[in-house]
Amino acid sequence: MPVGSLGVGSGIDLDSLVKKMVSAQRDSKVKLYQDKIHGYDSKLSALGSVGSAIDTFKSSVEKLNDSKLFSGRNALIDQPDDKKSLDVTADRNSSNGSYEIAVNQTAKGSRILSAPGLFSSSDEVITARGGKLKLSAGDDSFTINVPPGTTLSQLRKQINSSENNFGVSANLVDNGKGSLFFTITSTKEGDGNSLKISNTPDPLAKLPISDTLTADEKDAVEKAPLNSSGLSLDSVSTEGLSAGMVMSPNDNARDAIITVDGIQISNNSNTFDKAVSGLSIDALALTTKPTKVEVSYDEKTVKETIKSFVSSYNDLVGVLGKSAAKGSVLNGNSMVRNLQSSMSSSFMLSHSDTGKLSTVFDLGLKMGRDGTLSLNEAKLDKAVSTNYDELPKLFTGSGGLASSLERLLNSYTGREGMSRALKDSIQKSKDNTEETLQAYEGRMKKYEDSLRDKFSHLDSQLSNMKAQGNYLNTMLGQMK
């Protein structure tokens, strides 16, 4: 029976009565379940914030616990930023010290160009016979097939678009005086790597030869170019009887040359990565005098890492304090309380028994009443510059602060960590509550259906009684 029809027969609002009876039985208990689920959601959200802060802090701890951090080197070059003649990168295998480096010559590739007056138009056909062009520089080379009737412009595009091109670029330059220069450059640097171009004419392309010619004349005709201009593949080659491409002495590929502490070093590129152990030197421009390069420990990166460590620690302390404050959802939570206590204790321990740096507080750190850290950067600068060798032991190794904190944080993070276990426990409780609520809602639905069945039967009986009463009243009325 539709809900709206309940009570129609009796004239009593039985539908509202059923809703009120169900509401009285259901609403208060459903609210308890929903409040409980909301509480679990709040705890999961708070744990998510805590977990994120732990992960961020752990990342900074791991960087500080890496011994490679303290073996890094920095190269300081005595040169103006707007007139750099060289770049130097030092890795952890380099030695601290001072170097005098001069750039005597920079490496470059090669260039060849056509002889003056050889070409006048980009549409000139450079071969009617066709053939192959081989472009080579050192150990690199590629070959292109040149079809009969290829123009200078078409050859340029063919060279530049070759899939095996190793760094060769062809161009056309018009001097405005009737001469067109065909230039080809190669990026391959180093002595002995100058560009060369050789050609092989197509032996299958033949001219009709008269039988009246002598053998020498026939041979000359076979070898003759098929162009009206007299050009052949030799015109775009550096080799051959009529080679048209030439290279000036200044356009040859060459090595780079630098001098390090009086020792001259050559290399086939401008990057010297094997000249000095641990140093990569890039020659950018010639120098008039040696440039001083100072290689030392990378103190800047170490100090930035320590500052990041302090910042992420304070962020974590702030999140833990907010989550465990009075009235907060994690107030009194043992995991949060133990983590706060354990981290503070780690800072109080001595992590080095020799030298001037026994605790991180000797670096300028100070812990406030609220558990956060403050940093005296002037004291940090002095401690790092004067006692750099003691830093690795203070932070890394079995007794280092970062090592101790990383072990502590590992017990809270990951699939087996306490944070994950607590989240899983809360999620399970939430799931169970949601299932209980769903089952209770099912029972309430059955309860409502039962009430409607009963009141529907009552409504039918009242309707019949009302009909009978009306009938009796009508009969009594007729008897008067």
Side-chain angles (χ1 to χ4, degrees):
M1 177 181 291
V3 172
S5 64
L6 189 62
V8 172
S10 63
I12 303 174
D13 190 1
L14 296 178
D15 187 65
S16 295
L17 181 59
V18 169
K19 289 180 179 178
K20 289 178 180 179
M21 292 178 69
V22 172
S23 178
Q25 183 80 6
R26 170 189 176 277
D27 292 355
S28 59
K29 198 161 187 177
V30 167
K31 187 177 185 304
L32 289 175
Y33 286 131
Q34 290 175 338
D35 288 346
K36 204 170 184 180
I37 292 171
H38 178 71
Y40 290 139
D41 284 333
S42 297
K43 286 184 178 181
L44 289 173
S45 177
L47 284 173
S49 298
V50 170
S52 178
I54 291 176
D55 289 340
T56 301
F57 179 54
K58 185 183 177 185
S59 178
S60 68
V61 168
E62 289 172 344
K63 292 177 182 177
L64 205 53
N65 192 31
D66 186 355
S67 60
K68 293 179 181 179
L69 169 68
F70 303 99
S71 61
R73 301 296 199 278
N74 182 55
L76 182 63
I77 308 171
D78 185 16
Q79 63 182 354
D81 291 337
D82 58 342
K83 292 183 179 180
K84 288 186 176 182
S85 57
L86 54 92
D87 272 335
V88 180
T89 303
D91 64 27
R92 57 183 50 87
N93 295 315
S94 60
S95 300
N96 290 346
S98 181
Y99 301 84
E100 297 282 340
I101 303 176
V103 179
N104 311 113
Q105 177 176 289
T106 56
K108 71 178 189 67
S110 55
R111 184 186 72 150
I112 57 177
L113 71 160
S114 59
L118 181 62
F119 303 118
S120 60
S121 170
S122 61
D123 295 327
E124 287 186 72
V125 176
I126 50 92
T127 176
R129 186 184 298 275
K132 296 181 178 181
L133 278 183
K134 181 180 180 181
L135 297 90
S136 59
D139 296 332
D140 294 325
S141 66
F142 68 96
T143 301
I144 59 174
N145 293 313
V146 184
T150 297
T151 65
L152 199 59
S153 177
Q154 291 171 336
L155 178 63
R156 171 183 172 273
K157 292 179 180 179
Q158 196 174 358
I159 292 174
N160 291 340
S161 61
S162 173
E163 62 178 12
N164 297 318
N165 192 321
F166 56 82
V168 173
S169 175
N171 284 290
L172 293 170
V173 181
D174 192 333
N175 71 352
K177 298 180 180 180
S179 290
L180 188 71
F181 291 90
F182 187 48
T183 68
I184 304 179
T185 59
S186 167
T187 59
K188 190 172 180 66
E189 302 169 335
D191 291 350
N193 290 328
S194 293
L195 185 63
K196 297 178 182 179
I197 304 178
S198 59
N199 76 84
T200 305
D202 187 351
L204 299 180
K206 300 292 184 179
L207 286 171
I209 302 175
S210 172
D211 293 335
T212 60
L213 297 177
T214 65
D216 290 340
E217 290 173 334
K218 290 180 178 180
D219 183 61
V221 171
E222 287 181 338
K223 295 180 179 179
L226 300 181
N227 305 15
S228 59
S229 62
L231 295 175
S232 70
L233 280 177
D234 282 355
S235 65
V236 289
S237 304
T238 57
E239 302 174 9
L241 295 176
S242 56
M245 304 296 288
V246 294
M247 180 180 294
S248 68
N250 290 332
D251 286 335
N252 277 293
R254 70 186 185 197
D255 282 348
I257 302 174
I258 62 173
T259 301
V260 180
D261 291 342
I263 302 173
Q264 194 172 86
I265 305 168
S266 298
N267 192 50
N268 61 4
S269 76
N270 286 312
T271 299
F272 294 76
D273 52 11
K274 296 181 180 178
V276 181
S277 178
L279 296 184
S280 177
I281 305 170
D282 287 322
L284 305 178
L286 300 183
T287 57
T288 56
K289 61 180 182 179
T291 300
K292 185 177 180 180
V293 178
E294 192 76 31
V295 178
S296 59
Y297 286 118
D298 190 1
E299 296 180 3
K300 180 181 178 181
T301 299
V302 171
K303 287 187 287 188
E304 288 176 349
T305 304
I306 292 174
K307 292 176 184 178
S308 176
F309 165 81
V310 172
S311 177
S312 60
Y313 174 80
N314 287 339
D315 289 343
L316 176 56
V317 170
V319 171
L320 292 176
K322 183 179 179 181
S323 300
K326 186 176 181 180
S328 299
V329 292
L330 295 182
N331 176 248
N333 183 275
S334 60
M335 186 199 80
V336 174
R337 186 172 59 251
N338 291 339
L339 178 57
Q340 287 176 310
S341 175
S342 298
M343 287 196 304
S344 298
S345 299
S346 296
F347 281 90
M348 301 305 171
L349 299 176
S350 174
H351 297 281
S352 178
D353 53 4
T354 60
K356 297 181 179 180
L357 305 179
S358 59
T359 73
V360 290
F361 300 113
D362 295 325
L363 295 176
L365 274 71
K366 183 178 180 181
M367 184 170 288
R369 290 173 178 251
D370 60 354
T372 59
L373 295 172
S374 59
L375 178 63
N376 185 324
E377 294 193 22
K379 190 173 181 179
L380 174 65
D381 291 343
K382 183 177 180 180
V384 170
S385 62
T386 57
N387 302 288
Y388 191 89
D389 291 341
E390 297 182 31
L391 292 176
K393 190 172 183 179
L394 183 63
F395 288 104
T396 66
S398 58
L401 171 62
S403 180
S404 174
L405 286 172
E406 187 170 348
R407 289 193 299 271
L408 170 65
L409 295 174
N410 282 339
S411 65
Y412 286 87
T413 60
R415 296 180 62 86
E416 305 299 327
M418 285 185 279
S419 178
R420 169 56 61 185
L422 182 56
K423 286 181 181 178
D424 289 344
S425 176
I426 294 174
Q427 184 63 51
K428 185 177 181 180
S429 296
K430 177 189 173 184
D431 293 341
N432 290 338
T433 304
E434 288 177 334
E435 290 176 4
T436 302
L437 174 58
Q438 187 176 11
Y440 183 73
E441 291 281 28
R443 293 196 299 273
M444 287 296 97
K445 181 63 171 63
K446 291 179 180 179
Y447 174 63
E448 182 179 355
D449 291 341
S450 173
L451 287 177
R452 291 190 177 279
D453 286 341
K454 292 177 181 178
F455 280 110
S456 176
H457 180 66
L458 174 62
D459 189 41
S460 178
Q461 288 181 331
L462 290 174
S463 178
N464 290 334
M465 291 173 64
K466 184 178 180 181
Q468 291 175 4
N470 291 337
Y471 173 75
L472 289 174
N473 287 331
T474 301
M475 292 299 295
L476 290 173
Q478 292 178 353
M479 292 173 60
K480 292 179 179 181

